[in-house]
Amino acid sequence: MVGDGRPYPEHGLSSREWAQIPPRQVRLDTLTTTKAVLDLHSLLAKDSTFYGDLFPHVVQWKGELYLEDGLHRALRAALHQRSVLHARVLELQD
């Protein structure tokens, strides 16, 4: 699903703090993206993960999974007909 912004409260995690969350498998069909626009440069770049985290960032809030960062990685997984991807999942309390 495509969302319009982040419906969950600000979490304030830094890149270093995200890196402390171990990746886990997440089904693509359970994710709602928080971005309605995809940067094609990110999608098509061979080194798109070189400067950032290798794993998408997902926020779990009120039982829903929101793809906060890594839309291009999720799309690549879908284009390769994969139903899951490895992501770092932050669980926020309601």
Side-chain angles (χ1 to χ4, degrees):
M1 291 178 44
V2 176
D4 186 22
R6 300 174 183 174
Y8 49 86
E10 180 61 42
H11 52 71
L13 253 62
S14 68
S15 296
R16 182 176 294 232
E17 291 168 316
W18 272 109
Q20 300 303 311
I21 299 172
R24 69 178 207 207
Q25 285 191 342
V26 177
R27 290 186 51 85
L28 290 173
D29 62 357
T30 63
L31 293 173
T32 298
T33 181
T34 61
K35 298 177 183 174
V37 177
L38 173 67
D39 178 10
L40 288 177
H41 292 290
S42 295
L43 176 66
L44 301 174
K46 292 180 182 177
D47 63 349
S48 64
T49 58
F50 185 76
Y51 297 103
D53 195 342
L54 293 175
F55 300 101
H57 296 171
V58 173
V59 175
Q60 182 175 349
W61 187 62
K62 293 188 175 182
E64 299 293 325
L65 295 173
Y66 296 96
L67 181 62
E68 180 173 281
D69 183 50
L71 178 57
H72 60 288
R73 293 177 190 95
L75 182 56
R76 281 186 184 169
L79 290 173
H80 285 101
Q81 299 181 348
R82 287 182 257 157
S83 60
V84 297
L85 79 155
H86 286 84
R88 299 185 194 280
V89 180
L90 171 65
E91 297 179 17
L92 292 181
Q93 300 302 316
D94 296 350

